[in-house]
Amino acid sequence: MLFFPNFKEEGPGIPPDAPRKKGFARFAELLGRDGLDLFRAGFLALLGCLPFLGGVIYACAAHSMALAPLLGLAGGILAGPELCGLADTCLRAMRDEPGFWWHLYRRAWRRNAIASLLPGAAGGLLLGTDIFLFFHAQALGMSGAVSSVLLAGTLLLLGLAVYVWPQIALTDLRFLQVLRSSALLFAAQLPRSLGALAVLGGYIFIMVWFFPIADLLLPLTNLWLPAVWALLIVYPGLEEHFPVEGEQS
C-alpha cells in the first residue's frame, strides 16, 4: 500500500522491540502489511452477508412480517462463519502473526464454522426483525418511544457483535458464555465500546444515507474497513481478558 508512509520500518533510533504504534499509524502499518488479506476476508464476509440483506429487503418489499425474522435467521446462519473468519484475520494481523492467509483462513473457518451458526442465526433474526419494523414504523403506527427502543436494540446488537465474533475466533466458550462475556466487556470498557459502535454505525449510516453513491465504494471497503477500526479500538480489552497474543491454532 504505497498510499501510506511505512510506519513499520525500523530505522536509526527505533529499536526492534519498540512499542506498537497507535491510532492511524497502527492502522497504516496493518494496511501496508496485511491490507490484501484484510480486503479478501472482508470481501468474503460481505458475500456471506448478501443472502441476509437480500432476504430482509425481499421481506420488506413483500410487507411480510413473518418472512423478515425467518429470512434474517437463514441469512445470519450463512453470514456467521464469514464474519468470524474476518474477525480471525483482523486479530491475526493485530497480533502481528505471520503465515499464508488462505491456509490460516480456511483452518480458522473449519474450526469456528459450527460455533458461528447460532450467533449468526440469533443476530440475523433480531436484526432482520428490527429492520422490518423500522421500515414499516409508520404503517404500524409505532410511537417515537418504540422506535427509539428499536434503535437502541439495534445499536446494542452491533456493539455486542464487536466482541462476539472475536471471542468465537479466540475461545471455545458456549454461545451463552460468549454473549455474557461480550456484555460484560462492552460495559467494562464502555468508552472504547461506544467508539467502536460509532465506527460501525457511522459506516452503515454513510452507506445508507448516501446510497447509491457511497455503495460504489463497497466492493473496495466492504467489511474490512469498519471491522479493522472497531477491533483496533477494543483490542486492548480483548488482549487483557483473552489469549489474543498467545499461540493460536
Side-chain angles (χ1 to χ4, degrees):
M1 294 288 180
L2 299 179
F3 298 105
F4 297 93
N6 190 356
F7 287 99
K8 65 177 181 177
E9 183 177 352
E10 298 173 11
I14 303 178
D17 58 347
R20 283 176 178 166
K21 311 294 189 301
K22 295 182 179 181
F24 183 78
R26 179 61 170 161
F27 172 75
E29 180 180 48
L30 296 178
L31 191 60
R33 185 190 64 209
D34 302 305
L36 182 58
D37 296 345
L38 294 168
F39 167 80
R40 291 185 289 195
F43 192 77
L44 290 177
L46 177 63
L47 292 180
C49 290
L50 289 181
F52 168 81
L53 294 173
V56 172
I57 290 173
Y58 176 79
C60 290
H63 309 292
S64 174
M65 191 168 183
L67 276 180
L70 292 177
L71 293 179
L73 182 148
I77 289 176
L78 296 176
E82 309 302 337
L83 292 172
C84 190
L86 172 59
D88 183 82
T89 296
C90 291
L91 290 171
R92 291 182 188 276
M94 290 174 192
R95 62 178 176 254
D96 302 316
E97 181 178 325
F100 181 55
W101 171 77
W102 182 237
H103 171 72
L104 295 172
Y105 181 89
R106 286 188 302 167
R107 187 170 62 184
W109 194 98
R110 289 194 297 265
R111 184 182 66 241
N112 300 316
I114 298 300
S116 302
L117 298 181
L118 183 55
L125 185 151
L126 293 173
L127 189 56
T129 303
D130 280 357
I131 293 173
F132 180 89
L133 292 176
F134 274 124
F135 187 80
H136 293 85
Q138 186 174 0
L140 294 173
M142 290 169 48
S143 65
V146 174
S147 298
S148 298
V149 170
L150 282 175
L151 178 60
T154 302
L155 293 175
L156 180 60
L157 277 176
L158 288 176
L160 291 178
V162 176
Y163 296 101
V164 166
W165 298 118
Q167 282 187 78
I168 295 175
L170 290 169
T171 71
D172 295 321
L173 297 175
R174 297 181 180 274
F175 174 54
L176 290 181
Q177 293 174 308
V178 169
L179 195 59
R180 178 179 178 274
S181 58
S182 296
L184 291 175
L185 277 171
F186 184 91
Q189 53 170 9
L190 188 59
R192 289 185 177 275
S193 300
L194 294 178
L197 182 56
V199 168
L200 297 179
Y203 186 80
I204 295 172
F205 175 80
I206 289 173
M207 289 299 167
V208 173
W209 187 260
F210 294 101
F211 177 86
I213 297 175
D215 294 71
L216 295 176
L217 296 174
L218 197 56
L220 178 62
T221 60
N222 53 71
L223 300 186
W224 75 264
L225 183 59
V228 170
W229 270 116
L231 279 176
L232 275 174
I233 293 172
V234 303
Y235 187 81
L238 291 170
E239 186 179 6
E240 179 180 354
H241 292 89
F242 296 99
V244 179
E245 299 291 342
E247 186 68 23
Q248 300 291 319
S249 60

